[in-house]
Amino acid sequence: MIVVFLGAPGAGKGTQAKKLAQDMNLKHISTGDILREEIKKETHLGKKAKEYMDRGELVPDELIIAMIEQALPEDLGVILDGFPRTVAQAQALDEMLRKHHKSVSCALLFEVEDEVIVERLSGRRVCPNCGAIYHVKYSPPKVDNVCDVCSTSLIQRDDDKEEVIRRRLKVYKEQTAPVIEFYAQKNKLKTIKAVGPIEDIYKTLRNAISNGC
């Protein structure tokens, strides 16, 4: 099974992908996680990617496509979280999979209103040492701005600042909306309302997969 997760930044794709990957023995490939690891290591790709991400822009197709092709396993089901984000990436994915006699099983679109996303992301705080994630409103640390796990001061990522979030949403709508249509035309698109308790969203996700993915 090869599942594509679509949706704006902050729609909850990563949270649901991790649960689904564990339950169904799938590999979770997150472009965001891979890019952040490259940035942390200060590789050439990471430095170039950071320039785009800090501006709220998408990383160029050729960098992302090469990275995903390297990460795709040969014999295991996959959840692609954050890829493809452009039609060119979707076409490149089809070509990659065709070489291995595979194809995308379905694309799941996580729908969330813009203002909900802005609140979710702008309130997020991250531990730069251990990677723990908090939210100033929904899951604050025990001590204000201090990590519960390792007592390191928390930070707000540059791409979680409100002006960058709104720019990311604008870019998403302009460049990723055609990808939604790409999968809709192939009759592979399913839509999930990604607002409410995490467990309720997950039940909806599992039902969507059971009914034709």
Side-chain angles (χ1 to χ4, degrees), residues 12-122:
K13 302 185 299 298
T15 298
Q16 298 297 332
K18 287 170 185 171
K19 289 175 67 65
L20 186 65
Q22 184 174 12
D23 285 354
M24 298 189 68
N25 191 31
L26 302 172
K27 181 176 181 179
H28 173 208
I29 297 178
S30 164
T31 51
D33 288 349
I34 295 173
L35 283 168
R36 281 188 284 274
E37 185 64 23
E38 295 289 330
I39 290 169
K40 185 178 180 181
K41 292 178 180 177
E42 297 187 338
T43 64
H44 175 69
L45 171 61
K47 290 177 181 177
K48 293 297 293 182
K50 190 175 189 301
E51 293 176 10
Y52 291 93
M53 293 170 70
D54 285 351
R55 294 195 298 265
E57 299 174 7
L58 294 182
V59 178
D61 286 346
E62 60 270 19
L63 294 179
I64 296 294
I65 290 167
M67 180 179 65
I68 292 296
E69 188 160 22
Q70 183 176 336
L72 276 176
E74 291 187 8
D75 57 355
L76 184 69
V78 173
I79 302 167
L80 290 167
D81 170 11
F83 180 89
R85 285 187 175 174
T86 67
V87 171
Q89 290 180 11
Q91 292 169 336
L93 175 61
D94 279 354
E95 184 58 32
M96 280 183 227
L97 296 174
R98 199 173 293 121
K99 294 176 185 176
H100 301 283
H101 308 289
K102 295 180 180 180
S103 63
V104 171
S105 305
C106 66
L108 298 169
L109 173 61
F110 289 68
E111 282 193 340
V112 185
E113 293 180 359
D114 286 1
E115 293 310 310
V116 174
I117 286 173
V118 170
E119 182 186 40
R120 282 181 183 177
L121 294 185
S122 63

Side-chain angles (χ1 to χ4, degrees), residues 6 8 50 52 58 101 107 154 163 166 174 183:
L6 300 173
K50 190 175 189 301
Y52 291 93
L58 294 182
H101 308 289
L154 303 179
E163 63 273 18
R166 293 194 183 279
E174 290 172 350
Y183 286 113

Side-chain angles (χ1 to χ4, degrees), residues 122-170:
S122 63
R124 186 162 59 184
R125 298 296 182 269
V126 180
C127 177
N129 182 50
C130 72
I133 298 174
Y134 302 87
H135 192 280
V136 294
K137 180 178 179 180
Y138 301 113
S139 55
K142 295 174 184 175
V143 177
D144 187 38
N145 212 41
V146 176
C147 179
D148 293 347
V149 179
C150 65
S151 300
T152 302
S153 294
L154 303 179
I155 62 169
Q156 182 183 39
R157 293 197 319 231
D158 287 339
D159 57 341
D160 281 343
K161 293 176 180 175
E162 182 171 344
E163 63 273 18
V164 177
I165 295 166
R166 293 194 183 279
R167 207 154 50 236
R168 290 169 71 193
L169 287 171
K170 183 174 182 291

